[in-house]
Structures are given as C-alpha cells and as structure tokens.
C-alpha cells in the first residue's frame, strides 16, 4: 500500500479555489436585494444538502477505490462550478 499523501494536495488547491464561494454567494444574495434572513436560508440549505451528499460519497468510498472517488468528486464539483455562471 502506498502511504504517499501527495495526491491530497489537490484537496488543498480545490479548497483554495472554492473557499470564497460562500462569501460570493452571500454578496450576490445581498446584491439581489436579499437580507440577512435570505443569507441564513441559503447557508442552512447548503448545510442540509451537505449531510446526504457526505453520506452518498461515504457509501461510494466504502465500495470503490477512494482515490478515484475523490478525483471524481473534484471533477463533479469543477463541472458544477463551471456551469454555475
């Protein structure tokens, strides 16, 4: 088993690139006329979706090779971020 964790640097790079999204979404909600309550709803919805999504990826990680699951997760996230605008 390869104990190298070099491939995990991709998680760091992805986190740096997607980290500001929560701030940008908040600013966009305010720019569209929403207030603190709408921002709170968006953050809550994000957290509610995160729970089943984490379970889904966890189940996949139990059944398949984790490195492939992580790379496909990054791929899906990149695709959705590219389609968002």
């Amino acid at each position: 088993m390869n104990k190298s964790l070099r491939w995990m640097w991709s998680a760091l790079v992805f986190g740096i690139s997607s980290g500001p999204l929560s701030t940008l979404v908040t600013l966009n909600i305010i720019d569209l006329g929403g207030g603190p309550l709408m921002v709170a709803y968006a953050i809550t919805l994000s957290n509610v979706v995160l729970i089943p999504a984490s379970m889904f990826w966890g189940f996949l990680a139990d059944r398949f090779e984790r490195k492939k699951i992580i790379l496909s997760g990054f791929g899906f996230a990149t695709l959705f971020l590219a389609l968002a605008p």
Side-chain angles (χ1 to χ4, degrees):
M1 182 167 88
N2 185 3
K3 298 250 184 200
S4 173
L5 300 177
R6 290 180 296 172
W7 62 271
M8 289 185 65
W9 282 100
S10 62
L12 177 67
V13 173
F14 184 78
I16 290 170
S17 65
S18 66
L21 280 178
S22 62
T23 304
L24 295 176
V25 168
T26 300
L27 292 174
N28 195 30
I29 291 170
I30 292 171
D31 190 45
L32 291 172
L37 188 60
M38 291 297 146
V39 172
Y41 285 154
I43 293 170
T44 301
L45 181 61
S46 172
N47 288 331
V48 166
V49 170
L50 183 63
I51 295 167
S54 297
M55 291 173 60
F56 170 76
W57 288 108
F59 289 139
L60 287 179
D62 288 341
R63 290 181 169 69
F64 301 104
E65 185 181 347
R66 290 184 184 174
K67 186 174 182 179
K68 289 180 182 178
I69 296 297
I70 291 171
L71 291 176
S72 65
F74 288 154
F76 280 122
T78 303
L79 175 68
F80 291 141
L81 289 173
L83 295 175

